Amino acid sequence: MELAYYSDYAVRLVNSEEPARGKDSLTSVEAVRDLFGVNQSAARRATDADVTRFRSVRARLRAVFDAADSGDETLAVDLLNSLLLEFPVSPQISGHDFRDDDGRPLWHMHLADHPSNATAGYAAIAAMGLAFHLTEYGVDRLGLCEAAPCRNAYLDTSTNRSRRYCSDRCATRANVAAYRARKRLEADRSEKTGRAADSAQRSTASSER
């Protein structure tokens, strides 16, 4: 499994809540299991108790993204390190599920977790995945969507570090809002210019009389 895949665990968990909109999809054990995606063997370990534990880890992961988004690299790293210490994993070389044309294993790094519960397993993978992404691409590649009130987390993999939104939908919405704001500003300026011209004309007419 590609290590980049693991960083998506963190994004999925953080984005299960939209604080500015008052939305939270993490309300049941089924929602917890859905976060595991294809890793259904790990998902089956989840119980009702994991809902609260997942929410706690989610808050800590969002704090990492908040710190990175505000430019506080040291805080982002410190917060992530605390998660790595609390939820350790064992990197292992694996060849399962992937074969080349000759049927030989395609060796790759795999993160083996040894959790006491589903939350510990998920948190370990999410934190390690995020750590790989941060050290490979930089803290500034951890972002929060600029399309208010979204603030969903995303991982910037663009070549020029230009990503600002979590999705094309938010990018479109933000561009439309910016376009409308420019049009309103232009209309206001035009109106003010018109009033100024009318005032000048009235002043000229009065002086000529």
Side-chain angles (χ1 to χ4, degrees):
M1 185 177 289
E2 293 291 336
L3 292 177
Y5 169 83
Y6 292 115
S7 58
D8 288 335
Y9 273 58
V11 173
R12 286 203 300 272
L13 179 53
V14 171
N15 291 347
S16 67
E17 181 185 29
E18 296 181 72
R21 291 189 172 114
K23 294 182 179 180
D24 187 349
S25 63
L26 194 54
T27 58
S28 66
V29 66
E30 288 77 18
V32 168
R33 289 170 179 161
D34 286 343
L35 288 170
F36 282 91
V38 298
N39 192 358
Q40 289 304 300
S41 60
R44 283 192 289 272
R45 292 197 299 257
T47 67
D48 289 330
D50 285 298
V51 176
T52 300
R53 290 193 288 252
F54 260 66
R55 287 178 170 178
S56 176
V57 172
R58 179 178 64 187
R60 294 171 67 182
L61 285 171
R62 178 169 281 278
V64 174
F65 279 92
D66 281 331
D69 189 65
S70 65
D72 194 337
E73 295 189 23
T74 301
L75 178 58
V77 169
D78 286 346
L79 292 171
L80 191 50
N81 273 335
S82 70
L83 284 164
L84 292 170
L85 287 171
E86 185 173 346
F87 303 107
V89 295
S90 301
Q92 295 180 351
I93 299 174
S94 175
H96 66 81
D97 298 333
F98 296 94
R99 300 280 171 173
D100 63 16
D101 293 339
D102 296 323
R104 295 176 301 183
L106 293 176
W107 301 113
H108 59 280
M109 291 300 296
H110 175 79
L111 301 184
D113 59 282
H114 309 286
S116 56
N117 54 65
T119 303
Y122 192 101
I125 291 173
M128 184 60 76
L130 205 55
F132 277 121
H133 191 92
L134 185 152
T135 53
E136 179 71 18
Y137 300 107
V139 178
D140 58 342
R141 294 296 190 127
L142 278 58
L144 291 173
C145 186
E146 293 184 14
C150 178
R151 303 301 283 168
N152 270 352
Y154 65 83
L155 300 173
D156 186 359
T157 56
S158 63
T159 56
N160 57 355
R161 299 173 185 263
S162 61
R163 187 170 178 179
R164 298 167 56 198
Y165 307 105
C166 68
S167 65
D168 290 340
R169 179 181 179 184
C170 277
T172 299
R173 183 161 54 84
N175 289 334
V176 169
Y179 173 79
R180 289 174 176 170
R182 287 196 302 271
K183 287 299 181 182
R184 285 195 298 270
L185 181 59
E186 291 172 2
D188 289 343
R189 287 174 176 171
S190 179
E191 184 179 350
K192 289 177 181 178
T193 300
R195 286 201 299 267
D198 289 344
S199 178
Q201 288 176 354
R202 286 195 295 271
S203 295
T204 300
S206 294
S207 63
E208 288 176 350
R209 285 198 295 269

